[in-house]
Amino acid sequence: MKQKIGVISLGCAKNQVNSEQMLALIREAGYELRAELTDCDAVVVNTCGFVESAKSEAIAELLECIELKSQGTLKAVIAAGCLAERYKHELLTEMPELDAVVGTGSYGEIVSVIDKVLSGEQTELYGDINAPAEETSRILTSAHGSAYIKIAEGCDNRCAYCVIPSIRGKYRSRTLDSLAAEAETLANAGVKELIVVAQDITRYGLDLYGERKLPELLRRFSAIDGIEWIRLHYLYPDEVTDALIAEVRYNPKIVKYLDIPIQHINDGILKAMNRRGDGEFIRKLFTKLRAEIPGLVLRTSVIVGLPGEGNDEFEELCEFLREYKIERAGVFPYSPEEGTPAFDMPGAVHAELSEHRAALIEELQSRIIDGWNETRLGTTFSVLIEGYDEWGECCYGRSYADSPDVDGKVYISMPNDIENKKSGGLDVGTFVSVTATDILDGDLIGELTL
Ligand code: SF4
């Protein structure tokens, strides 16, 4: 009887791609895949481990699985991913009930690990985190019609608060051809929206071709039939070139949405973070992008509470967000991570104060989002349908301004004359035209515009 395996994917979209690759390898090896833990013989928890909150979530998930194992429901629990890579044998020492710990350099060996643990062996595997990125097939887990495509692995930047380079290795671009082939496969599987991710997509090609190749890669993606939206995440500010700006502006398939994490705006804090580009540089870049790309929606991420951040530095960040009205912004309280330069910096900010500053920015941002949503009322735009409510009465989806998992949604009320709404030609993974009529908790409500 075939053994049944589950994969739990935690953390970011890049980790999700690795989970999807492991799912494909596991099924190709003849195991059955299961979504319910209670149906599984073994589970792989693909962990995140770059900040305290992510570590706690991963440990809680592993403990839950270990509990199921102690009840005899599961035979084996495997810890994979960033937490496994970061702590290696220490994780096994802390959690001896685990059957395996698999680092980020060993996703490709997941099947041999499963074979071993299901035959009762405890094992650890920490492959080369600087080895070329995995080129394997995937089982998609995003909403139908949309998929992430990871164009490179690792990171060559050295932000002072970040452990990712030590977990994911140096920057390694995948080849143009392998990426175009993967995008073709995704399009043939019904994917209409490609979401381009890496730790830093703007650096794509430098290591492999000696020059930036992102614009060329985007042209290859947009030449593929079936791909209608290409969305860009994780751009590093000082690597946004004029060639890239022009490609985003004039390539009709690239949605006018750019995710550019700035982390802060104050010169002193940016320097302490070891970020390239100062506050003036970022202000000029955002002004230029707004001028050169009509209808642009900007997303960014900021960290508050880095050691040395006083009220003035924090206020400068708030003033910048008020003035530049970034439509989408994620805010993270600084998390002191051992092994990073920032960990030993003087001038620590109390964790409660960091949390408080993060809450102030969330409030500020929700007012900006509401203000921006107001400007969209009465406008008509395309929405990629993602699903229906349980009654099939209302469907929801995303506009070009909404990235999955991090931004809002558009809820679509359906004209009464559509008989069976679910099969009224409004399939998940298709585009419809919607006119915005109302706002609810930061999300838009709209009517189908036939
Ligand atoms: S760009 Fe900076 S924050 Fe992002 S993964 Fe690289 S080192 Fe970490």
Side-chain angles (χ1 to χ4, degrees), residues 241-312:
T241 60
D242 289 343
L244 180 59
I245 294 173
E247 191 62 38
V248 172
R249 172 165 184 171
Y250 295 110
N251 185 325
K253 288 192 178 181
I254 300 178
V255 294
K256 309 315 172 210
Y257 174 106
L258 291 177
D259 168 40
I260 309 177
I262 61 170
Q263 310 304 3
H264 214 282
I265 196 71
N266 170 267
D267 291 353
I269 299 294
L270 287 167
K271 195 159 186 308
M273 286 177 163
N274 195 30
R275 298 281 298 178
R276 297 184 307 278
D278 61 9
E280 195 49 33
F281 179 91
I282 292 169
R283 289 181 179 87
K284 281 199 177 121
L285 174 67
F286 280 23
T287 305
K288 177 179 180 179
L289 289 170
R290 291 236 191 259
E292 300 205 6
I293 306 173
L296 178 66
V297 166
L298 281 168
R299 159 165 274 284
T300 195
S301 312
V302 296
I303 294 173
V304 292
L306 190 94
E309 185 193 61
N311 291 338
D312 293 350

Side-chain angles (χ1 to χ4, degrees), residues 232-247:
L232 308 184
H233 270 270
Y234 308 106
L235 290 80
Y236 199 104
D238 78 343
E239 297 174 38
V240 178
T241 60
D242 289 343
L244 180 59
I245 294 173
E247 191 62 38

Side-chain angles (χ1 to χ4, degrees), residues 14 50 154-165 199-200 234 236 261 263 273-275 303:
K14 291 144 282 187
F50 83 120
C155 191
D156 281 352
N157 300 315
R158 288 293 178 273
C159 304
Y161 49 82
C162 183
V163 293
I164 293 173
Q199 303 298 350
D200 169 2
Y234 308 106
Y236 199 104
Q263 310 304 3
M273 286 177 163
N274 195 30
R275 298 281 298 178
I303 294 173

Side-chain angles (χ1 to χ4, degrees), residues 109-327:
E109 278 70 59
I110 195 63
V111 171
S112 65
V113 171
I114 291 171
D115 294 345
K116 281 189 182 149
V117 297
L118 286 177
S119 58
E121 203 184 315
Q122 188 179 55
T123 186
E124 301 172 69
L125 205 52
Y126 310 112
D128 177 8
I129 64 170
N130 293 308
E134 298 283 351
E135 297 286 353
T136 61
S137 56
R138 295 159 58 187
I139 293 180
L140 301 181
T141 56
S142 297
H144 185 62
S146 180
Y148 294 104
I149 187 160
K150 182 155 66 166
I151 65 174
E153 191 51 277
C155 191
D156 281 352
N157 300 315
R158 288 293 178 273
C159 304
Y161 49 82
C162 183
V163 293
I164 293 173
S166 67
I167 295 174
R168 289 281 173 170
K170 66 181 181 175
Y171 196 87
R172 289 145 292 145
S173 301
R174 293 174 57 198
T175 65
L176 286 161
D177 290 346
S178 75
L179 285 164
E182 182 178 348
E184 189 94 37
T185 305
L186 293 172
N188 294 340
V191 169
K192 301 215 170 23
E193 177 188 35
L194 270 186
I195 306 174
V196 180
V197 297
Q199 303 298 350
D200 169 2
I201 68 171
T202 31
R203 180 180 281 271
Y204 175 74
L206 271 179
D207 58 311
L208 196 56
Y209 302 106
E211 59 178 317
R212 296 175 198 287
K213 287 282 193 182
L214 186 56
E216 181 179 338
L217 177 64
L218 297 175
R219 285 191 289 276
R220 300 269 303 256
F221 286 164
S222 55
I224 296 169
D225 286 342
I227 297 296
E228 295 185 32
W229 276 2
I230 300 168
R231 187 181 298 277
L232 308 184
H233 270 270
Y234 308 106
L235 290 80
Y236 199 104
D238 78 343
E239 297 174 38
V240 178
T241 60
D242 289 343
L244 180 59
I245 294 173
E247 191 62 38
V248 172
R249 172 165 184 171
Y250 295 110
N251 185 325
K253 288 192 178 181
I254 300 178
V255 294
K256 309 315 172 210
Y257 174 106
L258 291 177
D259 168 40
I260 309 177
I262 61 170
Q263 310 304 3
H264 214 282
I265 196 71
N266 170 267
D267 291 353
I269 299 294
L270 287 167
K271 195 159 186 308
M273 286 177 163
N274 195 30
R275 298 281 298 178
R276 297 184 307 278
D278 61 9
E280 195 49 33
F281 179 91
I282 292 169
R283 289 181 179 87
K284 281 199 177 121
L285 174 67
F286 280 23
T287 305
K288 177 179 180 179
L289 289 170
R290 291 236 191 259
E292 300 205 6
I293 306 173
L296 178 66
V297 166
L298 281 168
R299 159 165 274 284
T300 195
S301 312
V302 296
I303 294 173
V304 292
L306 190 94
E309 185 193 61
N311 291 338
D312 293 350
E313 290 81 3
F314 175 65
E315 188 41 45
E316 184 183 349
L317 179 60
C318 294
E319 190 43 43
F320 167 77
L321 292 170
R322 276 189 218 105
E323 186 186 341
Y324 282 74
K325 295 189 170 38
I326 315 284
E327 291 85 358

